[in-house]
Amino acid sequence: MNSSVNGGGNESRILRPFRPNIRQASVIIPKTGQRVRRSVTLGISPGLTASNGNGAANEHSPLLGAPKARPKPSDAPRLFMRVARRIYHNGLDFAKSRTGKGVLKCSIAYLLGSLATFVPAIAAMLGQHDGKHMVATITVYFHPARSQGSMFEAVVLASMAFAYAAFIGFTSMGISIFFRQVVNLVIIGHIIVLVVFCGGGLGFVGWIKQRLGHPLVNISCSLTSLAIITVLTKEGAVQAARFSDDKIVQVLKMIVMGVIATTAVSFLIFPVSARTDLRENLISFTDSLSEVLASTTGCFLVGSEEEMKSPQYRTAMDKYKSQLASVEKNLVEARYEHYIVGREGEFRLEAKVVDCMQRLAQNIGGLRSAATTQFLILAQPGLGIPNGRRPGVLKVTGTTGPENSTALEVIDETPEVRQGEPSTESASRDSTNSTLTPSDVFAEFIEHLGPSIKSLVYTLRSILDDLPFGPAPHYDFTIDTHYRSSLEAAVKLYNQSRQVALSKIYDTNKVDKEWSLDVEADYEEVAASCGVFSYALQDFANEMIMYLDVLDELKLEIEERPNGRTWNWLRFWRRKQDSGMSEEAGSINTIDQEADVLGSAPKRSPVPKNTRRYQLWKTFAIFRRDDTKFAIKVGAGAALYALPSFLSATRPFYQRFRGEWGLLSYMLVCSMTIGASNTTGYARFLGTCIGAVCAIVAWELSDENPFALAAFGWLMSLWTAYIIVAQGKGPMGRFIMLTYNLSALYAYSLSVKDLDDDDDEGGISPIITDITFHRTAAVLSGCVWGLIITRFIWPISARQKLKDGLSVLWLRMGLIWKRRPVECRLQGKTSNAYMDLQEELHLHKYLAKLEKFRDSAASEVSLRGPFAAASYNRMLETTGGMLDALHAMNVMILKETNLSSGEAAILRSTTSERAQLSLRITHLFQVIASSIKLEYPLNDALPSIDHTRDRLLAKVFSFRKEEKAGLISSDEDFALLYSYALVTGQLAKAMKDIASELEILFGVWDEDVLELQ
């Protein structure tokens, strides 16, 4: 928008909170359905207020703080007791917390798992092979500090991991036996086993791990890798071409023991239910939703962006986002619990509830977008400065104390303005202002729309604060029978009040005046932001009605269960599209099968189509994918590392230095990108060194005493469980315990003659330093080999993938906008002609994939300098905002399929302006995508869409002035075009922000950049 100022361009502006004289308004009391007229306040959320009574700084606080008195020597014992008491209480609070209980559960499960090494009767069940410490390791990997649903999932994945490892092991033995006893070509058999089953089998494991990207899947892949490596390279049956199921049976027994131990602890000691967690999350999320709704509406009404930038508001938003992510996670885990007990119908309805919550969250995004656009408008200088008034400074009425700054103010019981009689403030503005500023227009909108907005928000917040469940442990439904009818009445009252207010706003004596293009654009832009906010609030209320309906269905299902318990998921022979994760739970898909559709830049085929060369090129397209290349190079590296175990000359060396653990380390280190491999390799090696030192200390202090070793192991498990559960550093904690088990527990098995190779590494008198040295050397070699494979064979740089991915994503967004979203409605095309829901899901998944590349890029070392994490963070955040804007446009298009006559007339009158605007936006997408792809600076003269957008808004304003417009169009007919104008403004600002970041990254045009060589 044009931001020129007549005579006041050099004045500094201060945007102050705006509280107009909001007239009296009727509200609906949700619990009774009564329509009342009284003073109502929505209150201030405790989490959004800054208390000055607890030491918080205020305007009277000294800048350097109050001087602290030094403790006297005589106060030292008292100070020590105070610190000790504080530490004791903090420790006690942590022990009582859910995290503390989870740490304790992990240590108990580990202690049970270590009994397979220390108790002779249990160890005898596992035979004379080594590796009994794997039982304890399994309790660390599949730790019990998870919900029951997650434990069910872990059991399923562990079973699948064993089944795959057993298939690879038995098939490899069969191939080796066939080529030795039938064909008499044992070397060929070894080559096939090494290439196909070792390389191909482990390559497939690496592909699965990267493809699914699920924490439990990663752990299962580590387990199956260990089993495959042990059978193929360590046991010796494949090399000797003989059939032996001893090791496979032992692995099965160890998996069963470990899973039973961790499952028993999870279910019997402080059990955690995902279904209960889901209900607690829904309660917390609705409370957060209520806070964000009230505070966002309050910010919009006062016209101040300061509130949305405050730490309190950001804290509320962070809590709201974390609760939404937690709801999705717990829904996935609750599915297993529901299916086990035969409550499939309850799960489907809970999935519907979560889907409704997600749509409510999307509507909150629409409210925030409209409010943000409004702040940008008010921040612009006005087009006229009547009576010396500074542009953008809104008239303040009422008090503006800090205690009221974030709340929706009281709906005043002041006399209403009679029909046809302008308010005092409106008359004042009309008499004094020769031109309109955005602040004037917004003040008039809020003066008329404010009461109806606040009344509806009051009703919505009252319902949200009470839904959906009561307190623990019963979580009874809190749905009142009057809620739905009260909300419908509130929506009806809101629509009526809004229509009356808008009819006053678009008064003919103001619209019919002759204004400049910039003033008309100002007027319509403010109208668009206020209109979109009011429409988004109406959509939120309508979605709340659907939410109440689904809660009623869920209540009926839980309390009466009309269909009884069902286990239809067991009928695997019946192909059902709805397996509990259908469209009702489409937002919680855990397997990303389509995200790679944006994985590479669009390319022209190197040969003409309809030829054999083209068909061949197309057939082998799968081998050009990054995940396929990753699987191939992982498999090739595994086969090369395992090669010494198949050669008689090098096999003793491989066994002495525990090459199987080096190969396992290689599998754990290999990641899709160089940065991720660096991060994992560092954690793997550091954890191994720490675990080795701890094993040496524990072994020397315990003097081979099993009770002392068990106590040391329990203390180790407490520490590492805190690292895994409390700090979230799973790989580090698991690597420490894995090395400790490999050294200390293995040494104990040697000392009690529990192995068939007692002479290894000291025999019955284990040399703990040799044991730890061999394992540390093996781990280091595996880590180095993994880094070499990742770095020099088809290297995939996270930095480059991030740049290329952003380029492709921006080009894809430009292609979507090139389809001219509003045009599909005007031409009668399907709503999917703009962007269907599947494509939108792929875009968001791809953005999440780029965020992972961003995290990995920070670990990559480059001579060009450190990774510019801050700039890329801001660009990713801005890109997410653009995707939200595209979603908002998509919601408006999908809302109604049939155009009214007035809406069609409005769209036809703005066809030319919209076409030019779409081309400009598409061009800008291409410009920023080319800049980051080529790593070249942007041109100083970027195309601007402000003037083109102003012409569109002015055209809408002129449409209102035509006499026929008043006859055929209504306020609802402008909703789609207002959303279009709002989205284009957001895209324009977002691309300006990205252009600024690109200038920081790549600089500006100069002679060095364009030097010809």
Side-chain angles (χ1 to χ4, degrees), residues 1 27 67 135 293 361 394 771 795 803 819 894 898 921 964 995:
M1 177 179 298
V27 296
V135 180
L293 173 65
L394 303 180
I771 294 174
K803 295 174 184 177
R819 299 168 189 168
L894 294 174
N898 298 323
I921 292 176
K964 60 180 181 180

Side-chain angles (χ1 to χ4, degrees), residues 599-840:
S600 58
K603 302 176 182 178
R604 293 181 178 272
S605 60
V607 294
K609 296 183 178 181
N610 301 325
T611 64
R612 289 185 178 180
R613 290 180 59 192
Y614 173 75
Q615 294 299 329
L616 186 64
W617 179 82
K618 188 175 180 181
T619 302
F620 288 98
I622 187 173
F623 295 102
R624 295 190 295 272
R625 294 167 57 101
D626 287 335
D627 54 352
T628 305
K629 293 179 180 179
F630 174 75
I632 293 174
K633 71 180 183 181
V634 167
L640 290 175
Y641 195 96
L643 179 61
S645 68
F646 285 83
L647 302 177
S648 58
T650 55
R651 180 168 175 78
F653 178 82
Y654 181 90
Q655 290 180 318
R656 177 173 179 79
F657 280 89
R658 306 299 170 181
E660 68 273 10
W661 296 109
L663 184 53
L664 178 63
S665 299
Y666 161 80
M667 289 297 300
L668 296 177
V669 165
C670 280
S671 298
M672 180 71 77
T673 62
I674 299 174
S677 297
N678 292 341
T679 302
T680 309
Y682 171 77
R684 172 67 172 156
F685 183 69
L686 180 61
T688 299
C689 294
I690 295 174
V693 172
C694 293
I696 294 175
V697 173
W699 180 258
E700 295 296 338
L701 293 179
S702 65
D703 195 22
E704 302 183 14
N705 186 292
F707 297 99
L709 273 177
F712 275 114
W714 180 73
L715 292 176
M716 283 286 298
S717 64
L718 272 178
W719 172 45
T720 54
Y722 179 81
I723 295 175
I724 296 172
V725 177
Q727 295 183 342
K729 300 177 181 179
M732 177 68 74
R734 289 194 294 267
F735 292 157
I736 293 173
M737 286 308 300
L738 178 60
T739 306
Y740 178 85
N741 296 337
L742 284 173
S743 304
L745 300 189
Y746 174 81
Y748 178 79
S749 297
L750 283 177
S751 67
V752 297
K753 301 181 181 181
D754 197 25
L755 303 179
D756 54 2
D757 52 352
D758 291 342
D759 293 334
D760 187 24
E761 296 171 323
I764 61 174
S765 299
I767 305 175
I768 190 65
T769 53
D770 286 353
I771 294 174
T772 55
F773 171 72
H774 292 161
R775 276 127 185 98
T776 304
V779 168
L780 178 60
S781 66
C783 292
V784 172
W785 183 243
L787 295 177
I788 291 174
I789 294 295
T790 305
R791 183 66 182 87
F792 296 104
I793 299 180
W794 286 322
I796 301 174
S797 171
R799 297 190 182 191
Q800 192 60 43
K801 291 292 293 183
L802 178 58
K803 295 174 184 177
D804 294 344
L806 280 173
S807 176
V808 174
L809 185 57
W810 292 338
L811 287 174
R812 189 61 176 262
M813 294 167 67
L815 179 63
I816 292 173
W817 199 258
K818 190 178 180 181
R819 299 168 189 168
R820 300 174 63 181
V822 178
E823 206 67 22
C824 64
R825 288 278 299 274
L826 186 59
Q827 297 177 0
K829 298 180 181 179
T830 62
S831 55
N832 290 337
Y834 163 59
M835 181 175 63
D836 58 17
L837 295 178
Q838 194 71 11
E839 184 178 15
E840 183 180 347

Side-chain angles (χ1 to χ4, degrees), residues 98 102 105-106 109-110 135 137-160 214-217 219-220 255-275 277 329-330 332-338 340 725:
R98 178 168 174 174
K105 290 167 66 175
C106 291
Y110 176 82
V135 180
T137 302
I138 290 173
T139 63
V140 176
Y141 274 66
F142 295 98
H143 64 78
R146 61 179 81 246
S147 66
Q148 296 174 356
S150 182
M151 283 305 306
F152 287 134
E153 185 180 9
V155 171
V156 172
L157 292 175
S159 302
M160 295 174 63
H214 191 276
L216 279 177
V217 173
I219 294 173
S220 301
I255 291 176
V256 171
M257 287 182 180
V259 169
I260 288 177
T262 188
T263 304
V265 172
S266 178
F267 284 16
L268 299 179
I269 302 176
F270 305 123
V272 177
S273 172
R275 292 173 292 173
D277 287 347
K329 169 182 172 293
N330 286 322
V332 175
E333 296 178 359
R335 174 184 59 171
Y336 293 92
E337 297 182 15
H338 283 301
I340 292 295
V725 177

Side-chain angles (χ1 to χ4, degrees), residues 122 229 434 454 504 547 901:
I122 301 178
I229 292 168
S434 58
K454 292 174 59 177
K504 294 179 180 179
Y547 176 53
S901 58

Side-chain angles (χ1 to χ4, degrees), residues 905-932:
I906 297 171
L907 296 181
R908 290 193 187 96
S909 67
T910 57
T911 299
S912 176
E913 289 77 10
R914 285 186 290 105
Q916 296 179 22
L917 193 54
S918 294
L919 292 176
R920 287 289 183 93
I921 292 176
T922 302
H923 184 198
L924 279 176
F925 271 121
Q926 293 176 343
V927 169
I928 61 175
S930 301
S931 175
I932 197 170

Side-chain angles (χ1 to χ4, degrees), residues 879-951:
T879 303
M882 290 195 291
L883 287 179
D884 292 339
L886 294 181
H887 167 77
M889 193 73 252
N890 200 28
V891 169
M892 291 300 300
I893 293 175
L894 294 174
K895 188 181 299 184
E896 296 178 1
T897 56
N898 298 323
L899 286 176
S900 65
S901 58
E903 191 173 8
I906 297 171
L907 296 181
R908 290 193 187 96
S909 67
T910 57
T911 299
S912 176
E913 289 77 10
R914 285 186 290 105
Q916 296 179 22
L917 193 54
S918 294
L919 292 176
R920 287 289 183 93
I921 292 176
T922 302
H923 184 198
L924 279 176
F925 271 121
Q926 293 176 343
V927 169
I928 61 175
S930 301
S931 175
I932 197 170
K933 174 68 176 179
L934 300 175
E935 300 185 10
Y936 263 66
L938 292 170
N939 194 339
D940 294 337
L942 283 179
S944 174
I945 68 171
D946 290 340
H947 190 64
T948 307
R949 186 165 171 268
D950 284 353
R951 288 202 303 268

Side-chain angles (χ1 to χ4, degrees), residues 151-214:
M151 283 305 306
F152 287 134
E153 185 180 9
V155 171
V156 172
L157 292 175
S159 302
M160 295 174 63
F162 169 76
Y164 179 74
F167 168 76
I168 294 294
F170 285 133
T171 308
S172 300
M173 293 178 193
I175 291 295
S176 183
I177 293 172
F178 172 79
F179 275 90
R180 179 167 187 172
Q181 297 181 1
V182 179
V183 185
N184 198 22
L185 294 173
V186 66
I187 296 180
I188 301 299
H190 286 174
I191 293 175
I192 293 176
V193 170
L194 187 63
V195 174
V196 177
F197 295 99
C198 184
L202 293 178
F204 180 74
V205 170
W207 182 84
I208 286 292
K209 183 174 69 172
Q210 296 297 324
R211 186 67 171 176
L212 303 186
H214 191 276

